[in-house]
Amino acid sequence: MKFSDFLVEWLENRRPYWRSSTFESVCVYVYAHIKPYFDEKGIDLSLITARHIRDYMHFKMTDGRKDGKPGGLGHASVRKHLSVIKQCLDEAVCLDMIPHNPADAVKLPRVSTLTDGATFLNQDEAQRLINAFQDSRYKPCVVMALYYGLRRSEVLGLKWSAIDFENNLLYIRHTVVKCTSIHSEDNTKTPTSHRQYTILPEVHEMLLALK
């Protein structure tokens, strides 16, 4: 059995256990990147090695984009690809199709999260950003993201039922995400992402006006 064929079989078997948004995300990794690469290589599941997987990682880091632009994928994206491959091969081990998981030996070097795409604004920069959205219907989204550090999915998932004006509390417990389709879910990325904040006076005023 080819590794790429088992990858598809594993993916379909995972469908009932994942959120639909998670399944769609992994489908993109598999069908747009991992499967085409290993289809071309034609490697049997029983013969796949750490070198094969390492070569795939290197290719994606250096020349693995699918949008026609030069260069490779970002470190975080390639790490997700490696995670998918490891999970798939873990299943093959459980089914006694291979004796061990060769992906366990493949490591990606860590990069600093402070320099890999993170952006921090000082007070003046944040205020200029808010001012730029002064007459936009998106201003509340920008304010909520800036003041509370919410993920995009959490900002888009805010409902009036999550805002307690009487006790001045904001609850984060609903998300809206887009993969290949849009999903509205009554949960957050992780259980610890369920949290609450005190509504600041300026946010309280903005939300009341919006309501």
Side-chain angles (χ1 to χ4, degrees):
M1 186 179 198
K2 301 297 184 186
F3 168 63
S4 56
D5 293 333
F6 179 74
L7 182 66
V8 172
E9 180 181 303
W10 165 80
L11 178 60
E12 289 302 320
N13 287 335
R14 294 306 302 166
R15 184 194 292 265
Y17 304 101
W18 286 341
R19 294 192 304 178
S20 53
S21 57
T22 300
F23 179 77
E24 287 188 2
S25 294
V26 177
C27 279
V28 172
Y29 306 148
V30 168
Y31 289 112
H33 296 276
I34 305 173
K35 185 179 184 300
Y37 177 90
F38 285 99
D39 271 341
E40 183 178 334
K41 299 296 181 182
I43 302 169
D44 283 342
L45 173 63
S46 61
L47 298 178
I48 192 167
T49 66
R51 177 178 288 276
H52 292 135
I53 300 167
R54 189 184 66 179
D55 288 347
Y56 171 78
M57 298 293 115
H58 178 74
F59 171 70
K60 285 298 170 182
M61 290 287 287
T62 57
D63 192 30
R65 296 178 68 102
K66 290 290 185 178
D67 56 6
K69 297 179 181 179
L73 299 178
H75 188 275
S77 294
V78 177
R79 184 174 292 279
K80 290 176 182 176
H81 291 202
L82 178 58
S83 175
V84 168
I85 293 172
K86 282 186 175 181
Q87 291 178 64
C88 173
L89 292 175
D90 276 341
E91 182 72 7
V93 173
C94 289
L95 296 175
D96 293 324
M97 299 179 75
I98 54 176
H100 68 278
N101 188 340
D104 288 339
V106 181
K107 309 295 181 186
L108 282 178
R110 292 189 175 276
V111 296
S112 172
T113 56
L114 294 180
T115 58
D116 188 29
T119 301
F120 300 91
L121 304 183
N122 60 35
Q123 184 175 346
D124 289 339
E125 291 169 336
Q127 188 59 55
R128 288 204 303 272
L129 179 59
I130 292 174
N131 292 343
F133 282 86
Q134 187 62 43
D135 298 320
S136 170
R137 64 174 181 161
Y138 299 114
K139 179 182 176 181
C141 298
V142 173
V143 170
M144 299 305 287
L146 276 173
Y147 275 57
Y148 298 106
L150 303 183
R151 297 182 178 95
R152 176 174 54 184
S153 60
E154 293 170 342
V155 174
L156 296 176
L158 286 174
K159 298 180 176 182
W160 289 118
S161 59
I163 300 170
D164 183 348
F165 285 108
E166 183 176 344
N167 295 305
N168 222 37
L169 291 173
L170 167 69
Y171 299 96
I172 306 303
R173 54 196 178 198
H174 186 81
T175 59
V176 173
V177 297
K178 180 180 180 182
C179 300
T180 54
S181 58
I182 296 174
H183 301 273
S184 179
E185 300 170 334
D186 284 319
N187 50 47
T188 49
K189 188 171 183 180
T190 63
T192 55
S193 295
H194 285 243
R195 56 203 189 278
Q196 67 182 43
Y197 297 104
T198 298
I199 301 177
L200 300 172
E202 54 269 46
V203 175
H204 190 281
E205 180 180 346
M206 178 193 72
L207 291 175
L208 276 179
L210 182 64
K211 192 170 192 298

